[in-house]
Amino acid sequence: MKENKIMDPFYVEISCENGNVSPPARLISRKLSDLVGLFYDQDAYNRALADDNPVLYEVYEVRVPEEEGHLLSCTTVIYPGKVGKEYYFTKGHFHVLENRAEIYTCLRGQGYLLMTTRAGKTHSIAMRPGISAYIPPYWSHRTLNCGEEPFIFYGVWPGDAGHDYESIVEQEFPLRVFEENGQPVVKIK
Ligand code: PAN
Ligand code: ZN
């Protein structure tokens, strides 16, 4: 590699309070309407959407090339709320290159990391500040906020991993978390 082609080191500052990244990173905002067909209770989803279309989560992505060798990273902020009894969650995905792993480290709030394999194995990890979870290659992953404040985590993954959302739409995510008697309960559906 020619010296003049090598990227300069840099840093960002992350707010554990609201997940903001500065200098400003790319912001992706997902609203209730972006998660059509994903929640368990479709009637509750339609009722909620008729009422309002709130932002469920935001992602602040640090900009580096999406290429082999680089590491991508972002904060994800999931706001508190439910559709019916099911907590707000992310769309969830496999990596397009399925043998690419990822690390999620919780900065604020309470949540769950849900994971599944194509063959139907499932695993969940309760997340709270300081918990750093390893998502091995070949596991799809979805996160949710089961607390009353924003749930914020920092994720790091290989630059060439890519996101496959279609598989999650086609084959329902088998793990769901509902509120029962004020407590989150993980269920295999
Ligand atoms: C994360 C996720 C982020 C949002 O950066 O992309 O938490 O979740 P969805 O992408 O499922 O909407 C990650 O896992 N990147 O690979
Ligand atoms: Zn991922």
Side-chain angles (χ1 to χ4, degrees):
M1 175 67 83
K2 287 209 173 110
E3 270 292 320
N4 64 358
K5 292 248 170 82
I6 295 177
M7 186 193 241
D8 286 331
F10 68 96
Y11 69 90
V12 296
E13 187 164 6
I14 294 172
S15 163
C16 295
E17 179 67 23
N18 59 25
N20 280 3
V21 172
S22 56
R26 185 165 81 122
L27 172 65
I28 300 162
S29 213
R30 298 275 189 227
K31 293 182 155 191
L32 187 60
S33 58
D34 294 317
L35 279 81
V36 64
L38 297 182
F39 285 95
Y40 185 71
D41 184 341
Q42 287 297 310
D43 291 340
Y45 177 83
N46 292 332
R47 279 198 305 275
L49 198 57
D51 236 30
D52 193 9
N53 188 16
V55 171
L56 267 47
Y57 62 100
E58 290 177 309
V59 177
Y60 298 89
E61 241 182 56
V62 178
R63 298 313 300 269
V64 298
E66 296 185 18
E67 291 169 4
E68 184 184 355
H70 282 281
L71 289 173
L72 300 174
S73 67
C74 73
T75 55
T76 302
V77 183
I78 309 179
Y79 296 102
K82 293 189 294 282
V83 172
K85 301 254 174 224
E86 191 172 21
Y87 299 100
Y88 285 175
F89 55 53
T90 57
K91 291 169 78 168
H93 57 268
F94 283 95
H95 291 151
V96 173
L97 299 184
E98 293 197 16
N99 65 350
R100 299 300 194 259
E102 184 155 4
I103 290 175
Y104 281 179
T105 304
C106 180
L107 306 178
R108 180 179 174 191
Q110 307 287 325
Y112 273 89
L113 164 60
L114 308 177
M115 291 164 280
T116 75
T117 64
R118 297 256 181 214
K121 269 210 283 187
T122 60
H123 197 101
S124 66
I125 294 177
M127 301 289 283
R128 57 182 157 75
I131 297 291
S132 187
Y134 189 68
I135 304 164
Y138 302 105
W139 287 79
S140 68
H141 37 290
R142 166 180 280 171
T143 46
L144 60 100
N145 182 349
C146 59
E148 278 161 17
E149 57 179 327
F151 167 59
I152 304 177
F153 63 94
Y154 180 61
V156 183
W157 69 101
D160 58 354
H163 295 102
D164 163 18
Y165 294 105
E166 287 73 30
S167 294
I168 305 296
V169 177
E170 283 160 15
Q171 204 184 355
E172 190 180 337
F173 207 96
L175 282 177
R176 294 185 176 276
V177 184
F178 300 95
E179 185 190 61
E180 284 185 10
N181 304 317
Q183 293 299 316
V185 179
V186 181
K187 299 212 162 164
I188 301 181
K189 288 282 176 186

